[in-house]
Amino acid sequence: MKLSLTPTDADERRLEIPGYLYSIAAVVALTLLWEAFVRYGAISPLLLPAPSQILLSMIKNFSLIMYMSVVTLLEILLGFGLAVVVGLPLGALIVFSRVARLTVYPILVGLQTIPKPALAPIIIVWIGTGLTSKALIAFAIAFFPIVVDTVIGLKSAQIETIYLARSMGANIFQIYRYIRFPNALPAIFGGLKVASTLAVVGAIVGEFVSADKGLGYLVLVANGDLDTKLVFACVLMLTLMGLVFYYAIEGLEALVLHWRVSDDGTGSGH
Amino acid sequence: MLAPAQPGVLPATVPLLTMRDVGKTYNIRGKRTSAVDNLSLDVAPGEFVSIVGPSGCGKSTLMMMASGLIHSSSGEIHIKQSRITAPHVDIGIVFQRDALLDWRTVLENILLQIDVRRLKRGDYRERAVAMLASVGLAGFENAYPRELSGGMRQRVSLCRALIHNPSLILMDEPFGALDAMTREQMNLDLQKLWIQNKTTMLFITHSIWESVFLSDRVIIMSPRPGRIAAEIQIDLPRPRKLAVRESAEFGAYSAKIREKFQSFGLLAEDDQ
Ligand SMILES: Nc1ncnc2c1ncn2[C@@H]1O[C@H](COP(=O)(O)OP(=O)(O)O)[C@@H](O)[C@H]1O
Ligand SMILES: [Mg+2]
């Protein structure tokens, strides 16, 4: 035991509460504030329902919301999966081949400046209103960050590591396998995380344009019926889905990149 | 071509590395820079040769050409009497930056040599562990590079350059980024590894005392375009102890090199 604690030592002691408790406390406080604001502020539930009312609506419409969620989730996963399956190899190709870098890359960058939601109606005219068109819209919005981050990651290998591999007799495929690809993984995961949130946006945009099922469709229907509680219930469900998706990727990242120091602020009180 | 007495073993009189009238001109956006000009150099098997020279005189260029990683603009380079036109694989390289792969453990970083060369890991694991132990890294086999200090990381890259028993090691200012104390330890470790492995060494450094301490022969390069300005044979018994630096012979060798540098008008900034 030290006899005299400096003020900083005392501060360090008080901060031993785990970091995530702060986040949970903040969310709970905000929810309670919202509840009180609606209840005692005489706000019309048509404009802003209280959290408790949203929860009740969610329970009442549980099977409907679940059904619509599955539809939307499928669209998101399909679109995201397509973005990964197309984006990763395309990124690799752009780094690998000079011709691809000079032809494909500028076109991609050009296409990226098109606001994707503007394309949604055309995609639906071409493909129809089913699952495929929604997945394609999700894909169109989600895939660019995957390509860009794959390119950035593959290019970022330290030149010495590549010289080193070549002095070991590595061929171009071995350089990708042993150096460039593992080195690109942190950047690729960054791209995947951005893409996961964009895929959700894409699926909802598609459903807004034309659909007969899905959470976006349900939002429109509930809004038309002035059922604001159901609208909020759908939004809550979408948020939860997005969160779970995002953290699933982050979990995979932590597993794959276990050699990295985690510096996301949990644990230490700084 | 001479037939070696044993496969892979050259008679000591035949140089392991030969550079004949080698030159390198870089061409960047129409601007031509002659980095190395008309340089000839022989390194005998098992010899430890250091190259010292002012910054930008073409030392790294010289090393990259010797490894076949970049092409020379003129002249010929031979290793074990075969002409180098592509990356030469019977070598080990250490750069100033350790170039460890963050996602591989210490042991896996060393075994990268083995993986890329499609050799059996099992045949080299024991040797890798022993090499780590001999440079004071026993018990760190499964650590990741981020857990190591700069000196420890560079020791790992030394082991990686030696694990496959190459006939030539090239080092480009490998200890340039380390603090003075670590650097002295690294010099001792490198001498030990070199004596154990009897490898031919081409060692680039900025440090005069480092070159004298480690080498059989010190080559002094002139400012750009790099040419050989002088060669000094270092006849000090091995293994050398740090205290050898206080000896009169050591001082005389260092003085010779310094005088050569000063004849280029260099080292003026150091005694302002
Ligand atoms: N890739 C390159 N392209 C153009 N110029 C280069 C390149 N590499 C080195 N140089 C130039 O060649 C000269 C020698 O460089 P280098 O071999 O790195 O010297 P040193 O290692 O002795 O400091 C320098 O003038 C440097 O600017
Ligand atoms: Mg250099």
Side-chain angles (χ1 to χ4, degrees), chain B residues 26 28 33 35 54-61 224:
Chain B
Y26 289 110
I28 296 282
T33 309
S55 198
C57 76
K59 302 184 295 295
S60 298
T61 303
R224 206 186 69 213

Side-chain angles (χ1 to χ4, degrees), chain A residues 160 164 168 174 182 258-259, chain B residues 97 113 116 144 146 160:
Chain A
E160 285 94 335
L164 196 74
M168 299 172 183
Q174 284 179 305
H258 59 92
W259 47 268
Chain B
R97 293 200 280 183
Q113 286 277 13
V116 173
Y144 282 94
R146 68 171 157 84
R160 181 181 55 192

Side-chain angles (χ1 to χ4, degrees), chain B residues 188-200:
Chain B
L188 292 169
D189 289 349
L190 176 58
Q191 176 178 242
K192 182 160 76 178
L193 284 174
W194 175 70
I195 290 172
Q196 280 168 7
N197 290 276
K198 304 179 188 70
T199 326
T200 315

